[in-house]
Amino acid sequence: MLYLIGLGLSHETDITVRGLETIRKCKRVYLEAYTSILMAANQESLQKFYQKDIILAERELVETGADSILVNADTDDIAFLVVGDPFGATTHTDLVIRARELGIKVETIHNASIMNAVGACGLQLYNFGQTISLVFFTDSWKPDSFYDKIHGNRKAGLHTLILLDIKVKEQGIENMARGRLIYEPPRYMNIATACQQLIEIEETRKEKAYTENTPCVAISRLGSPTQTFRAGTLKELSEYDSGEPLHSLVMLGRQVHDLELEYLYAFVNDKELFKQQVVQDQEFFKPPPYVAEEEEFSD
């Protein structure tokens, strides 16, 4: 059996009881080590708590060498550990497809992830639209495919969860070109960088999906003892020191429920100012009233 096991968001003890029992019976245990990190744990602390040796599964192994993970999984129990929930990244869907093609049984043990824990900021989960990912821009590469999804969410009155880029064990362009296995230091996008990039794309596209005055919620270290929330406009948060990773951002939709707004007041410095900013954003993005076209009738 191949077991896909979610680890939760922060500590080694965030594992479910069923997940822990399964890990301890497996012959090999892999830890997916590039789509996210446990903020309060590492490989050593996981091995100590799980009482098992752990093999780090980095990007190259999972994306190009997945068959080695599945070796003997038809006769042995193999665990594949994922921070958050196993299906938070499409890479893990691909692993399941490969296993099925080889006739290997698969079982999933779920856990908390950013996709549901984001509700801790006070915004109601059923008011969220499509989730987007925001990558680090370079001088020559500034992808903006996310923009249309934000625009669609806002037209529907829905909030947008924005997942911020992390780069773990990434090769620089020169080292990659020369085939040298030399990796860049880990980088984790912070709130200020994310907001600056969002503002830059709006200034380029000019389609008014949002403005620098659109209210957002900065989420830092969700699920850890030091988790924090800060609500403000894109402009305000573009200068916000969000501290240690990991971070996410939520852009509010044009419709905000009164209970959501009341909850968010705990994360602002000026309640009345924030309320005014939300109202102004709603007015700015309000769609034009629908006017039915007159139909011509003939006898």
Side-chain angles (χ1 to χ4, degrees), residues 92-199:
H92 312 135
T93 304
D94 182 64
L95 184 62
V96 171
I97 293 172
R98 288 170 181 256
R100 288 174 177 169
E101 291 172 347
L102 295 171
I104 297 168
K105 296 180 180 179
V106 179
E107 183 174 324
T108 303
I109 300 175
H110 296 283
N111 209 320
S113 76
I114 182 64
M115 302 295 286
N116 57 4
V118 67
C121 76
L123 300 175
Q124 298 164 1
L125 291 179
Y126 49 76
N127 287 338
F128 279 77
Q130 293 187 77
T131 296
I132 68 162
S133 296
L134 186 63
V135 301
F136 280 109
F137 287 175
T138 68
D139 291 339
S140 59
W141 188 60
K142 298 180 180 181
D144 64 355
S145 58
F146 65 83
Y147 184 88
D148 294 327
K149 293 181 180 180
I150 292 180
H151 206 170
N153 287 345
R154 303 232 328 137
K155 284 180 180 177
L158 301 174
H159 312 310
T160 304
L161 171 60
I162 303 171
L163 305 178
L164 308 190
D165 198 8
I166 71 170
K167 292 191 177 298
V168 180
K169 208 166 184 181
E170 297 271 343
Q171 287 180 276
I173 294 176
E174 182 179 350
N175 288 325
M176 186 181 298
R178 295 177 178 272
R180 298 184 300 206
L181 293 178
I182 300 175
Y183 300 99
E184 302 290 320
R187 297 172 62 204
Y188 306 93
M189 185 182 291
N190 59 28
I191 297 296
T193 299
C195 293
Q196 291 161 12
Q197 292 189 178
L198 287 166
I199 291 172

Side-chain angles (χ1 to χ4, degrees), residues 219-239:
I219 303 172
S220 299
R221 300 170 297 282
L222 183 62
S224 79
T226 62
Q227 73 175 18
T228 59
F229 305 97
R230 177 70 177 270
T233 65
L234 265 179
K235 178 63 175 177
E236 291 168 344
L237 294 178
S238 71
E239 302 171 357

Side-chain angles (χ1 to χ4, degrees), residues 15-273:
I15 186 78
T16 64
V17 173
R18 185 159 69 98
L20 179 60
E21 291 175 345
T22 300
I23 288 171
R24 288 178 175 171
K25 76 173 186 176
C26 285
K27 187 167 185 178
R28 298 196 311 276
V29 179
Y30 294 89
L31 172 63
E32 189 265 87
Y34 65 91
T35 59
S36 190
I37 60 170
L38 282 174
M39 292 170 285
N42 54 35
Q43 183 182 5
E44 183 178 349
S45 64
L46 291 176
Q47 290 181 146
K48 182 178 180 180
F49 184 72
Y50 299 159
Q51 299 175 12
K52 294 288 291 189
D53 289 334
I54 292 176
I55 304 166
L56 285 183
E58 293 162 341
R59 184 183 296 273
E60 294 86 357
L61 176 60
V62 178
E63 294 187 347
T64 63
D67 289 344
S68 64
I69 295 174
L70 300 174
V71 169
N72 297 329
D74 55 338
T75 55
D76 296 326
D77 288 328
I78 308 299
F80 186 78
L81 313 183
V82 181
V83 175
D85 187 81
F87 289 106
T90 54
T91 299
H92 312 135
T93 304
D94 182 64
L95 184 62
V96 171
I97 293 172
R98 288 170 181 256
R100 288 174 177 169
E101 291 172 347
L102 295 171
I104 297 168
K105 296 180 180 179
V106 179
E107 183 174 324
T108 303
I109 300 175
H110 296 283
N111 209 320
S113 76
I114 182 64
M115 302 295 286
N116 57 4
V118 67
C121 76
L123 300 175
Q124 298 164 1
L125 291 179
Y126 49 76
N127 287 338
F128 279 77
Q130 293 187 77
T131 296
I132 68 162
S133 296
L134 186 63
V135 301
F136 280 109
F137 287 175
T138 68
D139 291 339
S140 59
W141 188 60
K142 298 180 180 181
D144 64 355
S145 58
F146 65 83
Y147 184 88
D148 294 327
K149 293 181 180 180
I150 292 180
H151 206 170
N153 287 345
R154 303 232 328 137
K155 284 180 180 177
L158 301 174
H159 312 310
T160 304
L161 171 60
I162 303 171
L163 305 178
L164 308 190
D165 198 8
I166 71 170
K167 292 191 177 298
V168 180
K169 208 166 184 181
E170 297 271 343
Q171 287 180 276
I173 294 176
E174 182 179 350
N175 288 325
M176 186 181 298
R178 295 177 178 272
R180 298 184 300 206
L181 293 178
I182 300 175
Y183 300 99
E184 302 290 320
R187 297 172 62 204
Y188 306 93
M189 185 182 291
N190 59 28
I191 297 296
T193 299
C195 293
Q196 291 161 12
Q197 292 189 178
L198 287 166
I199 291 172
E200 180 179 352
I201 293 301
E202 176 55 50
E203 290 174 346
T204 301
R205 295 282 295 263
K206 293 181 169 54
E207 297 172 30
K208 298 182 179 180
Y210 50 86
T211 74
E212 64 177 22
N213 294 317
T214 293
C216 298
V217 184
I219 303 172
S220 299
R221 300 170 297 282
L222 183 62
S224 79
T226 62
Q227 73 175 18
T228 59
F229 305 97
R230 177 70 177 270
T233 65
L234 265 179
K235 178 63 175 177
E236 291 168 344
L237 294 178
S238 71
E239 302 171 357
Y240 172 54
D241 181 0
S242 49
E244 296 295 315
L246 297 170
H247 309 287
S248 300
L249 184 71
V250 178
M251 183 179 292
L252 271 60
R254 63 177 174 83
Q255 297 175 344
V256 182
H257 193 279
D258 289 344
L259 287 177
E260 293 179 307
L261 191 56
E262 187 67 31
Y263 200 102
L264 292 176
Y265 288 152
F267 311 135
V268 302
N269 293 326
D270 189 324
K271 172 181 173 180
E272 291 304 318
L273 176 60

